[in-house]
Coordinates of all heavy atoms in Angstrom, one line a residue:
Chain V
Y66 N -23.8 15.6 5.7 CA -25.3 15.4 5.5 C -25.4 14.1 4.7 O -26.3 13.3 4.9 CB -25.9 16.6 4.9 CG -27.3 16.5 4.4 CD1 -28.3 15.9 5.2 CD2 -27.6 16.8 3.2 CE1 -29.5 15.8 4.8 CE2 -29.0 16.8 2.6 CZ -29.9 16.3 3.5 OH -31.2 16.0 3.1
R67 N -24.7 14.1 3.5 CA -24.9 12.9 2.6 C -24.6 11.5 3.4 O -25.3 10.5 3.3 CB -23.9 13.1 1.5 CG -24.1 12.0 0.4 CD -23.4 12.5 -0.9 NE -23.1 11.4 -1.7 CZ -22.0 10.7 -1.9 NH1 -21.0 11.4 -1.2 NH2 -21.9 9.6 -2.5
V68 N -23.5 11.7 4.2 CA -23.1 10.5 5.0 C -24.2 10.2 6.1 O -24.5 8.9 6.1 CB -21.8 10.8 5.7 CG1 -21.4 9.6 6.6 CG2 -20.6 10.9 4.7
T69 N -24.7 11.1 6.6 CA -25.8 10.8 7.6 C -27.1 10.1 6.9 O -27.6 9.4 7.4 CB -26.2 12.1 8.3 OG1 -25.1 12.8 8.7 CG2 -27.0 11.8 9.5
Q70 N -27.3 10.8 5.7 CA -28.4 10.2 5.0 C -28.1 8.7 4.7 O -29.0 7.8 4.9 CB -28.6 10.9 3.7 CG -29.4 12.0 3.8 CD -29.7 12.7 2.4 OE1 -28.7 12.8 1.5 NE2 -30.9 13.2 2.0
F71 N -26.9 8.4 4.2 CA -26.6 7.0 4.0 C -26.6 6.2 5.3 O -27.4 5.1 5.2 CB -25.2 6.9 3.5 CG -24.7 5.6 3.0 CD1 -24.9 5.2 1.7 CD2 -24.1 4.7 3.8 CE1 -24.5 4.0 1.2 CE2 -23.7 3.4 3.4 CZ -23.9 3.1 2.2
L72 N -26.2 6.8 6.3 CA -26.3 6.1 7.6 C -27.7 5.7 8.0 O -28.1 4.6 8.4 CB -25.7 6.9 8.7 CG -25.8 6.3 10.1 CD1 -25.0 5.1 10.3 CD2 -25.3 7.3 11.1
S73 N -28.6 6.8 8.0 CA -30.0 6.6 8.4 C -30.7 5.6 7.4 O -31.6 5.0 7.8 CB -30.7 7.9 8.4 OG -30.7 8.5 7.2
K74 N -30.3 5.5 6.2 CA -30.8 4.7 5.2 C -30.3 3.2 5.2 O -31.1 2.2 5.2 CB -30.7 5.2 3.8 CG -31.7 4.7 2.8 CD -31.6 5.2 1.4 CE -31.8 6.7 1.2 NZ -31.2 7.2 0.0
N75 N -29.0 3.1 5.4 CA -28.4 1.7 5.3 C -28.0 1.1 6.6 O -27.5 0.0 6.6 CB -27.3 1.7 4.4 CG -27.8 2.2 3.0 OD1 -28.6 1.5 2.3 ND2 -27.2 3.3 2.4
G76 N -28.0 1.8 7.6 CA -27.5 1.3 8.8 C -26.0 1.4 9.1 O -25.3 1.7 8.3
I77 N -25.6 1.0 10.3 CA -24.2 1.3 10.7 C -23.3 0.5 10.0 O -22.1 0.9 9.6 CB -24.1 1.3 12.3 CG1 -22.7 1.8 12.6 CG2 -24.3 -0.1 12.7 CD1 -22.7 2.3 14.1
Y78 N -23.6 -0.8 9.7 CA -22.6 -1.7 9.2 C -22.3 -1.3 7.8 O -21.1 -1.3 7.2 CB -23.0 -3.1 9.2 CG -22.7 -3.7 10.7 CD1 -23.7 -3.7 11.6 CD2 -21.4 -4.0 11.0 CE1 -23.3 -4.2 12.8 CE2 -21.1 -4.5 12.2 CZ -22.1 -4.7 13.1 OH -21.8 -5.1 14.4
D79 N -23.3 -1.0 6.9 CA -23.0 -0.5 5.6 C -22.3 0.9 5.5 O -21.5 1.1 4.7 CB -24.4 -0.3 4.9 CG -24.8 -1.6 4.4 OD1 -24.0 -2.6 4.4 OD2 -26.0 -1.8 4.0
F80 N -22.5 1.7 6.6 CA -21.9 2.9 6.7 C -20.3 2.7 6.9 O -19.6 3.2 6.3 CB -22.5 3.8 7.8 CG -21.7 4.9 8.3 CD1 -21.2 5.9 7.4 CD2 -21.3 5.0 9.6 CE1 -20.4 6.9 7.9 CE2 -20.6 6.1 10.0 CZ -20.1 7.1 9.2
W81 N -20.1 1.8 7.8 CA -18.7 1.4 8.1 C -18.0 0.9 6.9 O -16.8 1.2 6.7 CB -18.7 0.4 9.3 CG -17.4 -0.1 9.8 CD1 -16.3 0.5 9.5 CD2 -17.1 -1.1 10.7 NE1 -15.3 -0.1 10.1 CE2 -15.8 -1.3 10.9 CE3 -17.9 -2.1 11.3 CZ2 -15.1 -2.1 11.8 CZ3 -17.4 -3.0 12.2 CH2 -16.0 -3.1 12.4
N82 N -18.7 0.2 6.2 CA -18.1 -0.5 4.9 C -18.3 0.3 3.6 O -18.2 -0.3 2.6 CB -18.5 -1.9 4.8 CG -18.0 -2.8 5.9 OD1 -16.9 -2.9 6.1 ND2 -19.0 -3.4 6.6
W83 N -18.7 1.4 3.8 CA -19.2 2.2 2.7 C -18.1 2.5 1.7 O -17.2 3.3 2.0 CB -19.9 3.5 2.9 CG -20.5 4.3 1.8 CD1 -20.8 3.7 0.6 CD2 -21.1 5.6 1.9 NE1 -21.3 4.8 -0.1 CE2 -21.5 5.8 0.7 CE3 -21.0 6.6 2.9 CZ2 -22.0 7.1 0.2 CZ3 -21.5 7.8 2.5 CH2 -22.0 8.1 1.3
F84 N -18.1 1.9 0.3 CA -17.2 2.4 -0.6 C -17.9 3.3 -1.5 O -18.9 2.9 -2.3 CB -16.7 1.1 -1.3 CG -15.8 1.6 -2.5 CD1 -14.6 2.2 -2.3 CD2 -16.4 1.3 -3.8 CE1 -13.9 2.5 -3.4 CE2 -15.5 1.7 -4.9 CZ -14.3 2.4 -4.7
D85 N -17.6 4.6 -1.6 CA -18.4 5.5 -2.4 C -17.7 5.6 -3.8 O -16.6 6.0 -3.9 CB -18.3 6.8 -1.7 CG -19.2 7.9 -2.3 OD1 -19.8 7.5 -3.3 OD2 -19.1 9.0 -2.0
D86 N -18.5 5.2 -4.8 CA -17.9 5.3 -6.2 C -18.4 6.5 -6.9 O -18.3 6.7 -8.1 CB -18.6 4.1 -6.9 CG -20.0 4.0 -7.0 OD1 -20.6 4.6 -6.2 OD2 -20.5 3.3 -7.8
R87 N -18.9 7.5 -6.1 CA -19.3 8.7 -6.8 C -18.6 9.9 -6.5 O -18.8 10.9 -7.0 CB -20.9 9.1 -6.4 CG -21.8 7.9 -6.7 CD -23.3 8.2 -6.6 NE -23.6 9.2 -7.7 CZ -23.8 8.8 -8.9 NH1 -23.7 7.6 -9.3 NH2 -24.3 9.8 -9.8
T88 N -17.4 9.7 -5.8 CA -16.4 10.8 -5.6 C -15.1 10.2 -6.1 O -14.9 9.0 -6.1 CB -16.3 11.3 -4.2 OG1 -16.0 10.1 -3.4 CG2 -17.6 11.8 -3.7
W89 N -14.2 11.1 -6.2 CA -12.9 10.7 -6.6 C -12.8 9.7 -7.8 O -12.0 8.8 -7.8 CB -12.1 10.2 -5.4 CG -11.9 11.2 -4.5 CD1 -12.6 11.5 -3.4 CD2 -10.8 12.2 -4.4 NE1 -12.3 12.6 -2.7 CE2 -11.1 13.0 -3.3 CE3 -9.8 12.5 -5.2 CZ2 -10.3 14.1 -3.1 CZ3 -9.0 13.5 -4.9 CH2 -9.2 14.3 -3.9
Y90 N -13.7 9.9 -8.8 CA -13.7 9.2 -9.9 C -12.4 9.1 -10.5 O -11.9 10.1 -10.8 CB -14.9 9.6 -10.9 CG -15.0 8.6 -12.1 CD1 -15.8 7.5 -12.0 CD2 -14.3 8.9 -13.2 CE1 -15.7 6.6 -13.1 CE2 -14.3 8.1 -14.4 CZ -15.1 7.0 -14.2 OH -15.2 6.2 -15.4
P91 N -11.8 8.0 -11.0 CA -12.3 6.6 -10.8 C -11.8 6.0 -9.7 O -12.0 4.7 -9.6 CB -11.9 6.0 -12.1 CG -10.6 6.7 -12.4 CD -10.7 7.9 -11.9
L92 N -11.1 6.6 -8.7 CA -10.5 6.0 -7.6 C -11.6 5.6 -6.6 O -11.4 4.4 -5.9 CB -9.4 6.9 -6.9 CG -8.5 7.4 -7.8 CD1 -7.7 8.5 -7.1 CD2 -7.5 6.4 -8.4

Side-chain angles (χ1 to χ4, degrees):
Chain V
Y66 170 49
R67 182 164 163 260
V68 174
T69 314
Q70 274 183 319
F71 186 90
L72 171 71
S73 58
K74 204 182 291 170
N75 297 303
I77 187 159
Y78 279 99
D79 279 348
F80 165 55
W81 183 8
N82 293 302
W83 186 15
F84 173 70
D85 186 5
D86 57 342
R87 306 198 59 85
T88 59
W89 292 94
Y90 181 85
L92 306 168

